[in-house]
Amino acid sequence: MDKQHIQPINRRDFLKIVGVSSAATAPLLSGCSSKGATDVASIPQGEVPTDKMTYRTSPKGERISLLGYGCMRWPTLEEPDANGNVIDQEEVNRLVDYAIAHGVNYFDTSPVYVRGQSERATGIALAKYPRESYYLATKLSNFSEWSRENSIAMYKQSFENLQTDYFDYYLLHSIGNGGIETFRARYIDNHMIEYLMAEREAGRIRNLGWSFHGTKEVFDEVLAMHDTVHWDFVQIQMNYVDWRHATGRNVNADYLYAELQKRNIPAIIMEPILGGRLANVPEHVAIRLKQRKPQSSIGSWAFRFAGNPEGVLTVLSGMTYMEHLQDNIRTYSPLESLNEEELAFLEETAQLMMRYPTIPCNDCQYCMPCPYGIDIPGVLLHYNKCVNEGNVPKSSQDENYREARRAYLIGYDRSVPRLRQASHCTGCAECNKHCPQSIDIPQEMRRIDSFVEQLRQETL
């Protein structure tokens, strides 16, 4: 669509299109929320095709659905059951059944996801399907204890959890955290690389690769091992913001993707919507996207971008809700490729997104549990949500300051219990070494706590 053909859209028409109720836009009633309720409500409804999924073929001839199911955000119970299970297994089964019925055949999990219970829940949900009908990925997530003995034990436990005798895709998990020295300790010094290569030779691993969060130097050094290890794939963070504007120690995705393409290594994509931030954008950015495709969700733009390059094998999405799963299936059934003008439009959108001082938290939960009980993602995501909604008051001179202040404080207390708020941070920095986005978490806790205390001191 040419720019001159874009019709202006006012806020009333925008809200009608996205389906956001008046309650969801009234901060005095609901406050800011970090739980993503409004993005579910704003997803367009319509037919969900069962036979139009886009597939990509791997170098080994595997036909992979472009939409991959990331199992890091399985739905959870309000309280653990009598056996200590935190995952809602019935809902997981329903989501997996629906995904498979609509063409999704790639499932990605890890021993550390959802308090260590994701693998088991995923294995239960997939157990009734023929093993050759889907592709299963998991990881060696030996973050804190990387002895050879512990690493092998973790690897073997994954077979039991997932009820399988082989992994289609096996990853060295989150390469880059701690720098190249940590990588060598986790995989080189303990000879785990040789062990996993032997497992691949034996057929218990079909494809061996790694996921990356770190510096360019680490990426380049690990990628250079391709000549001896032969990496079958690499999992990278890619979206239309990180393509050229990666924050922290992360590397621009256009560089990562280009380096993989030089070696004909398929890319698997994680964080296509930046932990939800590209589905919950500031209102003026949402209006901009809706003007272009009124009947498509905000998040579908990000998924189209992530799936657009031909070297992308699959795009992972952690779909907690059925509405998210259905919308993503629509986006990839089939994929509507982006043209050059649309890519330029998304680059302009990325530049607009970069003007807003959100914290690059993707809700990966790697920082959890906090030894002092703080809900770190809850604190950060609430702040981001309120930034996007314009409910982070900067000065009492601001228009609607009183309403924005009430919205922030009410939403904060509702989404994060008082005993788990930023005020209880001791600054131990135990969380920092686990954060793939290189957030200085204690610093952000202090900043947010000071901001909240300033708001609380004023009379409501």
Side-chain angles (χ1 to χ4, degrees), residues 2 11 15 55 65 68 126 133 139 180-181 191 226 252 260 303 307 318 320-321 343 371 377-378 385 392 415 450:
D2 296 333
R11 189 170 189 271
L15 293 175
Y55 293 89
S65 58
L126 290 171
S133 67
K139 307 171 181 74
I180 196 64
E181 293 79 13
H191 302 288
H226 181 59
N252 287 354
L260 296 179
F303 281 98
T320 307
Y321 302 102
L343 290 169
K385 180 78 169 167
V392 179
S415 59
S450 296

Side-chain angles (χ1 to χ4, degrees), residues 59-216:
K60 295 182 179 179
E62 298 155 325
R63 189 168 177 264
I64 308 291
S65 58
L66 187 54
L67 177 60
Y69 215 125
C71 305
M72 188 173 74
R73 295 184 173 93
W74 282 136
T76 55
L77 303 167
E78 291 187 7
E79 297 290 340
D81 66 16
N83 297 316
N85 298 315
V86 300
I87 293 177
D88 185 342
Q89 187 66 54
E90 183 176 340
E91 184 63 12
V92 170
N93 295 346
R94 188 171 80 98
L95 290 166
V96 169
D97 290 346
Y98 192 93
I100 289 177
H102 290 77
V104 176
N105 66 4
Y106 188 96
F107 296 85
D108 170 273
T109 183
S110 159
V112 299
Y113 288 170
V114 198
R115 305 186 208 177
Q117 296 184 13
S118 174
E119 281 190 335
R120 182 175 178 276
T122 304
I124 291 172
L126 290 171
K128 65 181 179 181
Y129 294 98
R131 181 61 184 87
E132 67 278 5
S133 67
Y134 61 88
Y135 296 94
L136 186 59
T138 193
K139 307 171 181 74
L140 184 54
S141 308
N142 56 347
F143 297 137
S144 58
E145 174 51 65
W146 47 65
S147 69
R148 180 179 175 85
E149 180 182 21
N150 179 75
S151 299
I152 292 176
M154 176 176 283
Y155 170 73
K156 291 184 175 180
Q157 183 64 44
S158 291
F159 285 100
E160 181 178 335
N161 292 342
L162 288 161
Q163 303 182 42
T164 186
D165 56 6
Y166 69 93
F167 301 123
D168 299 285
Y169 288 77
Y170 196 77
L171 297 87
L172 314 183
H173 194 182
S174 196
I175 299 306
N177 281 340
I180 196 64
E181 293 79 13
T182 298
F183 169 78
R184 291 170 181 160
R186 288 175 66 189
Y187 301 114
I188 304 297
D189 298 341
N190 59 8
H191 302 288
M192 281 306 297
I193 285 287
E194 292 96 324
Y195 178 88
L196 295 175
M197 290 172 66
E199 288 294 285
R200 180 174 58 183
E201 185 68 24
R204 287 181 286 272
I205 294 173
R206 303 294 170 84
N207 296 276
L208 180 62
W210 42 287
S211 62
F212 173 73
H213 290 287
T215 64
K216 177 179 178 295

Side-chain angles (χ1 to χ4, degrees), residues 128-347:
K128 65 181 179 181
Y129 294 98
R131 181 61 184 87
E132 67 278 5
S133 67
Y134 61 88
Y135 296 94
L136 186 59
T138 193
K139 307 171 181 74
L140 184 54
S141 308
N142 56 347
F143 297 137
S144 58
E145 174 51 65
W146 47 65
S147 69
R148 180 179 175 85
E149 180 182 21
N150 179 75
S151 299
I152 292 176
M154 176 176 283
Y155 170 73
K156 291 184 175 180
Q157 183 64 44
S158 291
F159 285 100
E160 181 178 335
N161 292 342
L162 288 161
Q163 303 182 42
T164 186
D165 56 6
Y166 69 93
F167 301 123
D168 299 285
Y169 288 77
Y170 196 77
L171 297 87
L172 314 183
H173 194 182
S174 196
I175 299 306
N177 281 340
I180 196 64
E181 293 79 13
T182 298
F183 169 78
R184 291 170 181 160
R186 288 175 66 189
Y187 301 114
I188 304 297
D189 298 341
N190 59 8
H191 302 288
M192 281 306 297
I193 285 287
E194 292 96 324
Y195 178 88
L196 295 175
M197 290 172 66
E199 288 294 285
R200 180 174 58 183
E201 185 68 24
R204 287 181 286 272
I205 294 173
R206 303 294 170 84
N207 296 276
L208 180 62
W210 42 287
S211 62
F212 173 73
H213 290 287
T215 64
K216 177 179 178 295
E217 290 71 24
V218 174
F219 181 83
D220 290 345
E221 181 163 336
V222 179
L223 190 61
M225 297 173 60
H226 181 59
D227 292 340
T228 54
V229 177
H230 184 78
W231 302 117
D232 296 300
F233 68 101
V234 176
Q235 188 164 301
I236 60 174
Q237 179 169 315
M238 191 176 87
N239 49 72
Y240 64 79
V241 172
D242 283 326
W243 186 249
R244 293 177 179 167
H245 308 282
T247 58
R249 69 182 174 196
N250 285 331
V251 186
N252 287 354
D254 61 347
Y255 175 81
L256 304 178
Y257 177 77
E259 291 301 301
L260 296 179
Q261 283 293 283
K262 288 178 185 177
R263 298 162 177 81
N264 295 315
I265 299 175
I268 291 177
I269 305 305
M270 58 184 167
E271 300 298 346
I273 56 171
L274 269 176
R277 281 181 284 152
L278 298 185
N280 292 280
V281 298
E283 186 176 296
H284 76 280
V285 176
I287 290 173
R288 170 186 172 84
L289 295 171
K290 280 293 181 179
Q291 284 177 333
R292 295 298 300 264
K293 290 182 73 69
Q295 300 309 317
S296 296
S297 68
I298 301 298
S300 67
W301 280 99
F303 281 98
R304 287 177 64 202
F305 180 90
N308 204 60
E310 293 183 359
V312 169
L313 189 59
T314 190
V315 179
L316 301 176
S317 178
M319 298 166 284
T320 307
Y321 302 102
M322 179 63 74
E323 292 86 350
H324 291 157
L325 173 59
Q326 291 172 334
D327 190 57
N328 292 341
I329 291 170
R330 290 189 196 98
T331 300
Y332 287 150
S333 297
L335 170 69
E336 180 186 347
S337 298
L338 294 166
N339 58 39
E340 289 301 318
E341 195 277 331
E342 289 175 313
L343 290 169
F345 169 76
L346 285 180
E347 170 56 21

